[in-house]
Amino acid sequence: MSGVTTVALVGLLAGVLLLVLALLVWQEARSRRFEEGPVYVVEDAVRFIADRLDPEIRARLGRSDIRRIIQWELHYLQGLAQEDRRRPVEVVAGGAEPAVEYIASQISETHGVAYSLDDIRAVLRGEAEYLSSIGAVGDPVTDERGEP
């Protein structure tokens, strides 16, 4: 075998090896592809809400207060607030009155701080806007008649 043939054969084998390697990398990249849905980040929500609160409410509530309200609301929405988890209660996001009252009472009992129910509602409205902004809000739920 001449020197030119040897070089050509080695080049061909190297090309085939690189092609196989590229195919393996491409296949691995395809297998790891996943669709990431909306991600709720408490600190992002707190910042979003704080930036949009009315100045009067913002004067009363700092970021730590907003974070505290959000954390208690998450506790409530996860069902951790109910006494008997074997019989789950209906939990509705978006600042339903039982949630607002629960949040106010837990913050008062646990942290010794009292927030007005209207301030809590304003924070929860801001959270709903945050959820909408990250694409985490779907269509309104309706019954079999198509009514909310």
Side-chain angles (χ1 to χ4, degrees):
M1 209 189 294
S2 72
V4 173
T5 307
T6 304
V7 170
L9 184 60
V10 168
L12 180 65
L13 289 175
V16 169
L17 180 64
L18 286 174
L19 179 64
V20 169
L21 182 63
L23 288 173
L24 288 172
V25 168
W26 176 72
Q27 183 179 10
E28 182 65 22
R30 282 188 58 211
S31 69
R32 290 184 182 230
R33 198 180 296 170
F34 61 92
E35 189 85 19
E36 186 176 314
V39 177
Y40 184 100
V41 179
V42 172
E43 289 309 311
D44 291 346
V46 168
R47 200 172 14 261
F48 183 94
I49 295 164
D51 291 345
R52 286 160 180 78
L53 279 177
D54 290 339
E56 184 180 301
I57 297 171
R58 184 68 178 102
R60 290 190 301 268
L61 299 178
R63 287 190 180 197
S64 62
D65 300 313
I66 295 168
R67 183 179 306 103
R68 185 177 293 143
I69 291 169
I70 293 300
Q71 288 172 336
W72 277 108
E73 193 236 0
L74 292 173
H75 187 268
Y76 179 82
L77 291 176
Q78 291 171 347
L80 301 174
Q82 62 195 56
E83 305 233 350
D84 184 3
R85 296 195 67 193
R86 287 178 288 214
R87 285 181 280 162
V89 297
E90 183 176 321
V91 178
V92 180
E97 251 345 271
V100 173
E101 292 168 5
Y102 173 80
I103 293 165
S105 70
Q106 288 303 307
I107 290 174
S108 177
E109 291 173 20
T110 307
H111 304 284
V113 179
Y115 301 128
S116 79
L117 297 181
D118 287 336
D119 286 353
I120 294 171
R121 286 184 197 100
V123 169
L124 298 182
R125 277 192 304 276
E127 182 190 29
E129 290 175 24
Y130 169 74
L131 290 169
S132 182
S133 76
I134 64 170
V137 176
D139 295 328
V141 177
T142 59
D143 62 13
E144 58 276 352
R145 297 179 309 246
E147 297 179 7

